[in-house]
Every structure is written in structure tokens, then in C-alpha cells.
Amino acid sequence: MTEQTVLIIDDEPDIRELLEITLLRMGLDTVTAGNVEGALEKIEQYQPNLCLTDMKLPDGNGIDIVRYIQKNYPHIPIAVITAFGSMDTAVEALKAGAYDFVSKPVDLPKLRELIQTALKLSGSKHAKHTAKPDKDDAHSSSILGNSAAMQQLKATISKLARSQAPVYIHGESGSGKELVAQQIHLQGSRATAPFIPVNCGAIPENLMESEFFGHKKGSFTGAVSDKQGLFQAAHRGTLFLDEVADLPLTMQVKLLRAIQEGAVKPVGGLEEIPVDVRILSATHKSLEHEVAAGHFRQDLYYRLNVIKLKVPPLRERTDDISLLADFFLDKIAKRWQMPPIRLSAAARTELQTYPFPGNVRELENVLERASTLCDNNTIQPDDLQLSTTAQTQAPALSTPQWVRDSPETDKSPTVSDKLPAWNPINEEEERNLIVRALDQTRWNRTKAAELLGMSFRQLRYRIQKYGLDEG
């Protein structure tokens, strides 16, 4: 008897025989059952490495088995076989905890790929399931946080990693959506394959099709060679569509087809190329509102939003602020090759009471700025330069008057024009403000630093950080 066993559940003997032959040729042992009752008995008896079940069974349906396994043997992946075109049933199975689904008539090459990836997951999860619990397991994830909200998030990520269902990750800017997507990938069966993140709002519309699906040499001006698209680069892995709400409607149609067909056609190509990709998506916008406004296709929304995962903002997990602050300060000190940077008790209290409209990204930026301002490597409340307005209502980023105005004269801004509590909430905003200040002062760095309310040393560091050196 081989090490890996697959339970096949189907009431049709011909289907069971076909699946058995396919699996035996893959070197796997098989056990079969023709109904729900028999399946539950075989699960208890053999505790297989993988289950394949038909949806319609004489005494119930496949979702009953999915729920039973999720409750009693969560380390066993289960895939369901659905009738052609019954997407609603497949989505219901995925939400119940199924690893993946295949449609009838069964595409045997796709089934083999599914089985291979599912058995990888089964092996790692089974080892973890039977091993002695690790006391430091809470710290094994790169997602930091011990608050109740984060413990719940980590538990949900572990469940989602066992599935192949598309996940829509919703959360405010800077809350860590990409990190969550990466953890879903790393804890799943695709961990050894590529994780390809893409910011949908950063790709020019005329290049989107080429970026996603690739192109053939000579298909358009500038196509000097064949190019692999993002879907092909993520084959057998995960494609993370960040800011998916920014996709234009024309691209949404093509993306929907690629997801439905599991294949892409490069620009200028004649044949579709099969791809095996798990789709994770995220946006800080409300996709529901975008659908209602006609900016996002409803059919694509349902494809992406099989499971919705909310990432809590930092203000809802204030217990984690100190832990995150110490982590970022340690990272900054190592990067700058300087002694450890500490937070004074007063500064730590100040951070705890600040709402952080920019979330974890803002916390990191605040600490990076404070690290350049502080004396004796100890950060005091004044070094943080937290916005007092944001402490009460967390408004949108305030832009300096000299940026809002469109100067028509040659008069250079003076020190009196600077923003006293200049506090960009993310790197893009910070970079844009620095570029505007340098442009308005004709790259006089001393005046630009005064204008921005920072030291010359701070400005020089940021110019190097964002690659803004002239030349």
C-alpha cells in the first residue's frame, strides 16, 4: 500500500473506475465510496490524504462531506466534482471549505495537477496536525500582532490557505493587504511556486493586456521579442491583483474570461495557453459600491469575491502598536547601521492614542522620520510630529498651502511657508511632496528642506531613498 491514499466518492461506478485508473497511474492508492454514509465510514477508517467527491449523492451531497471534514479533519483537502456550468454550487462548496472543484466532464490533465498540489498541502498540513504544538507558533507568521483581531485574522488565513478559492481582501490603505495575500500563498500548497503581486492602478491602460497575458514578437510597435504575461509568470502559483477596482471595464471583461477558462491568449497569438493560477485580489475601495455605480462588472465581482477577508485597521488593534513600533525601529537601526533606537514612555503613549489614518504604513513612516530627528537614539513625543487634528478625526492628508497654490511668479517659498506638522501618510504622497518642493526651489535642497519642515540630512536621505538625484 502506498503512502498516499485518495478517497473517491461517486455513485456512478464508471466514474469511480475512471478516477481509480487515473490515480493508480499516478502511483496513488485509492479507496472508494458510493454515498455519504459510506464516505464518512471510509474517512474514519483510512483518514485519506485527499478526498474527491461528486456533488450529487443518493443520501446527501458533497457539501455535507466537505463540512464534516472541515469540522473533524481540517488537514484533509477535499475537492468536489460539479456538473458543467453549475458555478453557484462550486462557490458554495468553496465557501464551505473545499480545496477546489473540477467540472464534468472531468479534464484529466487538470485533475492530475489539482491532485498533485492538493497532496503537497495534505503532507505539510498533516505533519503540522500530528506534530507537537509549537509554543512560538504565534510568531511563526510574518504578520505581527497578538491582539484579538489579529489572532482571528491569522486563524482565517490558515483556513483560506487550505483552499484554492479566490479571496477578496478588503481593508484601508496601509493596513497590510499584500502581506495577508502573501501569507495565504506561503501557507498553502502553492508556496514553492511564484507569488506575483501587481498593482492594477499602476499599469497604463494601453499596456494592460500585454502585461497580463503577454505578447508575441511583432504584435505591435515596440514588441521586439516574445514576452511572458503575469498569468504565465504565476503558473502553478498565486496572482495577487492589488487595487483591482482600478481596472478599466474593457480589461475586466478579458480578465473574467481568463479566470473562467483557465487560459490566456497573448497579444498577437493564435492559441490560448493553459494556466493554473490562484487569484487573490484587494482594494481599499468598496467593490460593492463600484458595482452599484457601474464601474466594476458584477460577474467579475462574484468571481473574485468567493470569500471576503477584512484586514482590520491599526486603530482597531491598538494593542499591537508597541510590538510593531519595536519591530520597525529594529529594522531601521539595522538598515542604517546604527545603535538600537528606543521609544520613550511618553512617545509610546503618544503612539497608542493616535488613530493612524494611514495604518501600519503610516506608523513605519512616522518612526522613520522620528529616528532621524531624535537625540541620543531615544524618540520623544515631539520627534513623532503626529497630527493633532488626526488624533480626533483622522482626516485626509493635509497638503501645504505652497503645494495647493499654483505659483505663477518666480518668488521662491520661504521658511514661513513650510508645513509645521508635515505628515504624509504613505511613501507615494511623501515622494510627490518632496518633488514639488524641489521643483519650486529649483533644486535648492537647503530651501526645500526648510519648506518641508525637515532637516537637510532628512531630505538628503529621502532623495536617495526615492532615487531623485539629478542627473
Side-chain angles (χ1 to χ4, degrees), residues 8-12 16 32-36 38-39 56-59:
I8 301 167
I9 309 160
D10 200 298
D11 61 334
E12 296 183 38
R16 290 202 303 268
T32 63
N35 54 36
V36 173
K56 291 186 178 181
L57 297 167
D59 56 345

Side-chain angles (χ1 to χ4, degrees), residues 350-366:
E350 191 94 355
L351 290 176
Q352 291 287 145
T353 58
Y354 182 71
F356 285 102
N359 293 294
V360 179
R361 188 184 294 132
E362 182 185 6
L363 172 62
E364 184 174 10
N365 288 345
V366 164

Side-chain angles (χ1 to χ4, degrees), residues 222-459:
V224 295
S225 62
D226 289 355
K227 179 187 175 182
Q228 187 182 61
L230 294 167
F231 270 84
Q232 293 165 271
H235 182 56
R236 299 185 190 277
T238 303
L239 181 61
F240 174 53
L241 305 175
D242 197 10
E243 299 304 345
V244 69
D246 292 340
L247 284 172
L249 287 168
T250 51
M251 190 61 207
Q252 290 176 30
V253 177
K254 295 171 183 176
L255 179 63
L256 176 64
R257 174 173 172 77
I259 294 172
Q260 286 177 330
E261 301 299 324
V264 297
K265 183 187 288 185
V267 177
L270 299 176
E271 296 182 356
E272 289 191 329
I273 301 171
V275 287
D276 172 21
V277 173
R278 184 180 188 183
I279 301 290
L280 304 178
S281 59
T283 179
H284 71 282
K285 298 179 181 179
S286 168
L287 275 187
E288 293 85 351
H289 292 165
E290 294 296 302
V291 170
H295 300 152
F296 201 84
R297 291 181 62 96
Q298 189 175 49
D299 46 6
L300 178 58
Y301 168 72
Y302 286 125
R303 276 287 186 176
L304 298 177
N305 188 30
V306 172
I307 299 174
K308 185 174 181 178
L309 177 62
K310 184 178 185 298
V311 181
L314 189 53
R315 64 181 173 274
E316 291 181 7
R317 55 184 189 107
T318 53
D319 293 348
D320 296 329
I321 290 176
S322 282
L323 177 66
L324 288 166
D326 291 338
F327 170 78
F328 288 134
L329 290 176
D330 180 60
K331 187 169 79 168
I332 290 167
K334 287 178 180 176
R335 187 170 71 235
W336 293 356
Q337 298 182 346
M338 59 187 297
I341 307 166
R342 298 177 298 276
L343 277 170
S344 69
R348 199 174 289 273
T349 301
E350 191 94 355
L351 290 176
Q352 291 287 145
T353 58
Y354 182 71
F356 285 102
N359 293 294
V360 179
R361 188 184 294 132
E362 182 185 6
L363 172 62
E364 184 174 10
N365 288 345
V366 164
L367 292 172
E368 189 170 285
R369 181 176 63 245
S371 297
T372 65
L373 289 171
C374 70
D375 296 321
N376 302 319
N377 286 351
T378 301
I379 295 174
Q380 301 295 340
D382 288 345
D383 300 325
L384 297 172
Q385 294 188 353
L386 298 177
S387 168
T388 54
T389 311
Q391 290 181 358
T392 58
Q393 58 183 9
L397 174 68
S398 176
T399 307
Q401 184 65 40
W402 59 268
V403 175
R404 290 195 298 270
D405 294 341
S406 179
E408 302 293 338
T409 67
D410 290 336
K411 178 186 175 183
S412 296
T414 64
V415 180
S416 61
D417 296 319
K418 73 182 180 182
L419 182 68
W422 181 64
N423 186 31
I425 64 173
N426 59 50
E427 291 188 352
E428 183 180 0
E429 296 285 357
E430 184 176 64
R431 184 184 187 281
N432 290 340
L433 289 177
I434 289 171
V435 170
R436 296 289 294 275
L438 289 168
D439 286 344
Q440 291 200 38
T441 59
R442 295 188 176 90
W443 278 78
N444 184 321
R445 301 186 188 197
T446 302
K447 288 185 178 180
E450 293 175 347
L451 185 66
L452 293 166
M454 61 170 63
S455 68
F456 180 81
R457 174 186 165 200
Q458 288 174 279
L459 179 61

Side-chain angles (χ1 to χ4, degrees), residues 156-174:
T156 305
I157 288 172
S158 295
K159 291 180 182 178
L160 297 180
R162 297 197 296 262
S163 169
Q164 294 299 291
V167 180
Y168 164 49
I169 304 168
H170 180 60
E172 297 176 8
S173 292

